[in-house]
Structures are given as structure tokens and as C-alpha cells.
Amino acid sequence: MAIERTLSIIKPDGVEKGIIGKVIARFEEKGLKPVAIRLAQLSKAEAEGFYAVHKARPFFADLVKFMTSGPVVLMVLEGEGAVAKNREIMGATDPAKAAPGTIRKDFATNIEKNTVHGSDSPENAKIEVSYFFPEVQIHAYEWKK
Ligand code: UDP
């Protein structure tokens, strides 16, 4: 499988719950290497732009409000099949439907406050990574674990 990069976000609920370390540990344990990390307070315009595909959905305004309600952790994760692997580790959008052992099952509050974002395709991953990170802020390194 090819080495991919994907965009991961620890949403404001995850930051508020004090589980930044626990979430990142799950990625590291399962072979997803953080190659860029930044704590950020998203502006309304940034959140609206990021979620532009959901503009027509009924939950859009609330989602933007939630995503700007406090700081988020923006990350680029790298690894074999990183896009799909990240989605697996995250679990289903609705924590009530998420598989046991997934981040959303274990930590999410509800379908909106669901702790993490992950790109849903390699094409979107490229767009989402570049939305937040210029190439110079992404740093490759080898694991010796
Ligand atoms: N969302 C929501 N209500 C819904 C569906 C989604 O508030 O009924 C929010 C939720 O935070 C979700 C995000 O919108 O993570 C993007 O939705 P998507 O369907 O793309 O889910 P994801 O790819 O994040 O699993």
C-alpha cells in the first residue's frame, strides 16, 4: 500500500476534555505518524471554507459554531493507507454507531461533537492538508520504535 498523508483535526470537544495526548497516542500506536501539528483557533471564515461541501446541510451553521468554539489541534498524519486507516481509527460519524475501540466510540459526545475529523479520500486529503499546512511545515522523520 502507498504511503499517504491525511488531515486530522482534534475538535474543540477533544481539546476541552484533555485527551489530545490520548488521541495522538492512538494514531502513533497504529502506524500513523504525525508529521505536522499545530494548535489553532479557527475563524468563522476558515471553518466555513473547510466545511464548504456541507454548506447546504441543516447542521452547517451549528457545525461552524462548534468548530470555532475553542482551539483545535490540526495535524498531518502519514503512513501506509493513511486516509482509510485514520477513518478506521476514528470510527463512524455518530458515536452511537461507532465500533468498539474507536476514538469516537470512546470519547465523542454526539454526532456533532465527535472529537476528530479525518479526510475522507486521498483527493480531499491533499486539499485539506494544503488548506492548513504549507509544505515547509510538514516534516518527515523515521520511527525507531
Ligand atoms: N455533523 C453534524 N450532524 C450530522 C452529521 C455531521 O453535526 O448529522 C458534523 C460532525 O461533526 C461531522 C461533520 O459534520 O464530523 C462532517 O460530517 P461528515 O458527514 O463529513 O462526517 P465525517 O466525515 O466527519 O465522519
Side-chain angles (χ1 to χ4, degrees):
M1 213 183 290
I3 300 288
E4 292 174 343
R5 286 175 177 171
T6 190
L7 186 82
S8 168
I9 305 178
I10 304 178
K11 298 184 180 185
D13 63 309
V15 174
E16 278 172 6
K17 285 175 185 167
I19 54 165
I20 293 173
K22 284 184 182 168
V23 170
I24 294 176
R26 290 191 179 205
F27 295 136
E28 288 183 318
E29 282 159 8
K30 292 177 173 134
L32 293 184
K33 185 190 290 173
V35 291
I37 303 184
R38 175 157 60 90
L39 191 73
Q41 169 65 56
L42 300 186
S43 67
K44 185 166 179 269
E46 273 176 316
E48 283 175 348
F50 184 73
Y51 279 121
V53 291
H54 294 308
K55 209 167 179 158
R57 309 283 287 278
F59 58 80
F60 182 73
D62 282 345
L63 176 60
V64 168
K65 211 168 164 185
F66 163 54
M67 290 299 288
T68 56
S69 66
V72 296
V73 178
L74 304 170
M75 284 183 284
V76 179
L77 302 175
E78 190 178 86
E80 287 204 357
V83 174
K85 191 182 269 188
N86 182 35
R87 300 282 302 183
E88 247 178 69
I89 297 168
M90 287 163 54
T93 309
D94 181 354
K97 295 179 184 153
T102 59
I103 291 171
R104 284 169 164 170
K105 180 72 176 182
D106 292 345
F107 302 120
T109 300
N110 56 40
I111 195 170
E112 176 189 68
K113 296 176 175 60
N114 58 4
T115 313
V116 277
H117 167 84
S119 309
D120 64 1
S121 68
E123 297 71 36
N124 284 338
K126 287 197 179 78
I127 295 166
E128 292 183 355
V129 165
S130 65
Y131 191 81
F132 289 117
F133 291 99
E135 195 62 35
V136 293
Q137 288 179 12
I138 304 174
H139 304 287
Y141 57 94
E142 291 304 314
W143 262 334
K144 290 173 185 142
K145 57 176 188 172

